[in-house]
Amino acid sequence: MALEPVAQSYPTRWKRPPVLLTHPLWRKIILLGGLVYLVLAIQTVEVDWQRVYLGLERGWRFVQGFLVPDFTSRWNDIYAGLMESLTMTVTSTVAGILISVPIGIGAARNLAPAPVYLACRGIITVSRSFQEVIIAILLVAMFGFGPFAGFLTLAFATIGFLSKLLAEEIEDCDRSQIEAIRATGASWWQVVNYAVQPQVMPRLVGLSLYRLDINFRESAVIGIVGAGGIGATLNTAIDRYEYDSAGAVLIIIIAIVLVVEYSSSYIRRWVQ
Amino acid sequence: MLKLDKVSKTYKTGDKALHNACFEVPAGQVVGLIGPSGAGKSTLIRCINRLVEPTQGSITLGDTELTGLNRRELRRARRRIGMIFQEYALVERLTVMENVLSGRLGYVPAWRSYLRKFSPDDIAQAFSLLDRVGLADHYNKRADALSGGQRQRVGIARALEQNPELLLVDEPTASLDPKTSRQIMRLIRTACQERNLPAIINIHDVMLAQQFSDRIIGLKAGDIVFDGAPDALTDEVLTTIYGDEDWTQLRGDNGEQSTDPEAPAVDLAEGV
């Protein structure tokens, strides 16, 4: 192909064409409408400034308590709550992983037949449709106050989370590796063991550690509705206006989350 | 011996990928399958081990009619058919040894393969094949630590570990440089000669196909439009398969590289 001998003038300016709202007039109308809505919406917000002032004072006391945390006077309660939370977290994560692996495999379209797929997706949907706090309220009502209800709540929530993400990871697997193992005459179990497991293992480990982290944080929340653990301790401290003890609990939670975060990124690098 | 009788494949989308393919491959014959992209080459070889289900026709390997087999019988038939893939399709996070041993999966119960307890014969054969393809020292490396050419050698060892009666080869050189491509083709060719093993090699590079096959089959839009000796592949035939192109000049470009196809196998470890 010969190049054009004559120098042709090409445009020097280019703008990315809009993806949505290609019509310029509609674009202006909708932007303007959004702006009007924003102004009107802000006007409907009623702020009780006196209440804010009162709250500020209490908030300030909280900040003070946080700055001067008191680990000692309620240490026995804090320690007991912490141990309960950690036990709840570890047991529920382990139980959750053990149950979610088969469900996750069953919910992967490229490995499971349609009825199994639908059943497993159903379990995942049920588990994911309720927030932990709501499940905790229900289970506390069923099994009474205490960490057992918390354990069940977290294990149940873990199933929805891990199975779904594991199933998606399995569906995203390199198909040619699965095909190659299948072509050797391998059975279904062998395909899972040789072609799928090596591909999803690092992600499964990463997700499990992430879920451990989430479960610890959630254990503090569900403690407030009666499912035991550090959340119950925190709740009691706040109810008694012992903000210095509450501050101590919060600092411990932050420290533990930090430790889990750093160790999980280390472990994930190690299993890559 | 492999026999295809009126094999057709129509995909669910209505694409006719393959239309009435009929041919026989006697023991020890290396067939080069050429044709433009989308001509049905991949579909054809995947129909043979039923990674793709043919819609019509019958395929016979030895005394076994492959098209009518149930799942268990199909697995038994698949272990008699070795397959080598485009982009290698090794399980990247497994070791080279595990990849080669996965060729025995069809013969080993799932619990044994899970524990990696393969029989001494299987292991000895795997070592000898790795030695044969020039990777004797690499057995404990992870597959993703190898170069492209090395990975394809592992792919060949995996297929041969099955002790197959037929080799299906899908674009073995698609992502390799010209020299490595030649080494890989030579390796496949000599392996077939030593074992009197028939092979169907699906390949884009016409010159490589001519050099390393006993027979060429040309596919165009799902139909077999040429079936004959490599020498009979004239410019007119190439034009029927691929459309107009200056074939003589293409040959001239490649001519200087081509070596004697019957030359004895070079040092297989070269370029490792």
Side-chain angles (χ1 to χ4, degrees):
Chain A
M1 224 168 39
L3 284 171
E4 287 280 317
V6 190
Q8 198 188 334
S9 75
Y10 292 105
T12 54
R13 284 163 59 83
W14 175 84
K15 248 177 89 175
R16 188 172 177 276
V19 182
L20 295 169
L21 309 172
T22 39
H23 198 285
L25 184 66
W26 274 114
R27 200 158 60 233
K28 270 174 196 152
I29 290 174
I30 287 173
L31 276 177
L32 200 73
L35 212 65
V36 169
Y37 172 78
L38 188 67
V39 170
L40 291 176
I42 288 174
Q43 279 174 353
T44 63
V45 179
E46 286 173 25
V47 184
D48 181 349
W49 290 106
Q50 204 175 356
R51 180 70 188 77
V52 170
Y53 178 71
L54 279 174
L56 270 182
E57 201 177 279
R58 203 179 291 175
W60 179 240
R61 269 201 285 144
F62 196 89
V63 171
Q64 277 178 319
F66 200 72
L67 289 175
V68 196
D70 177 5
F71 290 91
T72 47
S73 52
R74 295 281 173 197
W75 177 246
N76 286 338
D77 289 347
I78 295 175
Y79 181 77
L82 198 63
M83 281 304 130
E84 217 169 80
S85 258
L86 287 174
T87 315
M88 232 154 69
T89 307
V90 173
T91 50
S92 64
T93 309
V94 170
I97 293 169
L98 290 180
I99 303 170
S100 18
V101 168
I103 295 179
I105 293 172
R109 193 167 265 167
N110 51 354
L111 286 183
V116 179
Y117 170 80
L118 289 175
C120 290
R121 283 283 163 177
I123 297 173
I124 293 174
T125 313
V126 171
S127 162
R128 278 168 41 78
S129 44
F130 299 109
Q131 220 276 328
E132 279 90 336
V133 174
I134 296 173
I135 305 169
I137 292 172
L138 204 73
L139 289 172
V140 166
M142 284 164 69
F143 296 97
F145 289 100
F148 184 66
F151 161 77
L152 288 181
T153 307
L154 294 179
F156 187 69
T158 304
I159 293 168
F161 175 89
L162 263 186
S163 311
K164 182 183 166 68
L165 293 173
L166 178 63
E168 269 156 28
E169 188 65 17
I170 293 174
E171 284 171 355
D172 284 345
C173 269
D174 180 4
R175 285 185 47 196
S176 65
Q177 297 182 29
I178 297 176
E179 199 180 35
I181 295 297
R182 204 165 264 159
T184 64
S187 66
W188 184 87
W189 287 108
Q190 290 172 325
V191 170
V192 171
N193 182 217
Y194 272 74
V196 177
Q197 191 191 328
Q199 292 192 61
V200 300
M201 211 52 195
R203 182 99 170 113
L204 179 63
V205 171
L207 286 173
S208 303
L209 290 167
Y210 180 44
R211 189 63 217 188
L212 185 80
D213 181 309
I214 295 176
N215 277 350
F216 180 71
R217 282 181 282 131
E218 288 296 338
S219 82
V221 178
I222 60 174
I224 294 171
V225 297
I230 192 88
T233 318
L234 180 66
N235 200 26
T236 316
I238 292 174
D239 284 348
R240 290 176 181 157
Y241 300 101
E242 292 171 352
Y243 292 135
D244 42 5
S245 293
V249 171
L250 290 180
I251 287 172
I252 289 174
I253 292 176
I254 293 172
I256 290 179
V257 171
L258 270 180
V259 169
V260 174
E261 175 67 35
Y262 287 135
S263 47
S264 84
S265 61
Y266 177 77
I267 295 173
R268 266 183 294 147
R269 218 174 312 145
W270 179 61
V271 292
Q272 249 320 308
Chain B
M1 191 185 76
L2 176 77
K3 188 179 173 194
L4 275 79
D5 190 26
K6 290 186 185 155
V7 176
S8 300
K9 172 67 187 176
T10 311
Y11 284 104
K12 277 181 192 156
T13 48
D15 296 325
K16 283 198 164 183
L18 199 61
H19 187 63
N20 279 344
C22 294
F23 61 89
E24 281 181 29
V25 184
Q29 189 177 60
V30 175
V31 178
L33 191 61
I34 61 170
S37 302
K41 304 191 297 292
S42 260
T43 305
L44 174 64
I45 69 166
R46 279 176 169 72
C47 277
I48 295 171
N49 63 357
R50 282 176 57 192
L51 288 174
V52 168
E53 286 293 339
T55 24
Q56 260 174 30
S58 82
I59 301 167
T60 332
L61 176 65
D63 298 326
T64 320
E65 154 80 57
L66 297 174
T67 33
L69 301 179
N70 67 29
R71 284 177 56 178
R72 177 177 293 262
E73 292 164 340
L74 175 62
R75 282 211 306 274
R76 286 179 180 277
R78 273 180 182 164
R79 49 187 207 188
R80 295 161 56 198
I81 306 172
M83 192 159 177
I84 297 168
F85 292 83
Q86 184 176 5
E87 309 276 352
Y88 335 121
L90 300 180
V91 182
E92 300 199 337
R93 283 204 185 85
L94 293 184
T95 59
V96 167
M97 198 49 161
E98 283 170 303
N99 270 292
V100 177
L101 284 172
S102 67
R104 297 309 292 174
L105 286 177
Y107 295 91
V108 172
W111 69 269
R112 271 185 169 271
S113 66
Y114 178 78
L115 299 172
R116 310 304 197 246
K117 282 175 96 67
F118 290 86
S119 76
D121 291 348
D122 292 351
I123 294 170
Q125 180 177 259
F127 273 116
S128 100
L129 282 169
L130 280 175
D131 193 21
R132 175 76 179 73
V133 300
L135 292 173
D137 300 331
H138 298 265
Y139 55 91
N140 269 347
K141 275 192 186 166
R142 244 167 65 158
D144 55 6
L146 301 182
S147 71
Q150 290 174 325
R151 288 187 205 197
Q152 195 57 290
R153 286 158 195 273
V154 177
I156 294 170
R158 173 173 66 188
L160 294 178
E161 176 80 10
Q162 285 175 246
N163 287 323
E165 293 166 41
L166 169 71
L167 214 51
L168 301 175
V169 191
D170 187 16
E171 301 283 1
T173 62
S175 32
L176 299 175
D177 65 70
K179 184 172 180 222
T180 316
S181 297
R182 253 147 234 287
Q183 292 172 344
I184 291 292
M185 287 300 288
R186 199 170 290 132
L187 187 54
I188 295 174
R189 163 112 202 150
T190 42
C192 286
Q193 279 171 342
E194 283 165 11
R195 286 146 209 263
N196 201 23
L197 187 64
I200 301 180
I201 305 180
N202 169 349
I203 188 165
H204 265 302
D205 190 322
V206 178
M207 306 311 145
L208 271 185
Q210 276 186 296
Q211 189 182 341
F212 290 102
S213 355
D214 303 316
R215 172 183 172 192
I216 300 276
I217 292 179
L219 269 181
K220 186 189 185 180
D223 290 305
I224 294 181
V225 290
F226 174 80
D227 186 348
D231 299 338
L233 206 60
T234 56
D235 291 358
E236 291 91 84
V237 175
L238 286 174
T239 306
T240 351
I241 300 175
Y242 289 99
D244 273 326
E245 184 55 67
D246 191 348
W247 299 109
T248 326
Q249 196 196 333
L250 264 175
R251 276 180 216 272
D253 289 348
N254 277 275
E256 63 207 44
Q257 305 178 14
S258 67
T259 47
D260 181 9
E262 299 306 327
V266 290
D267 175 19
L268 291 162
E270 71 179 291
V272 168

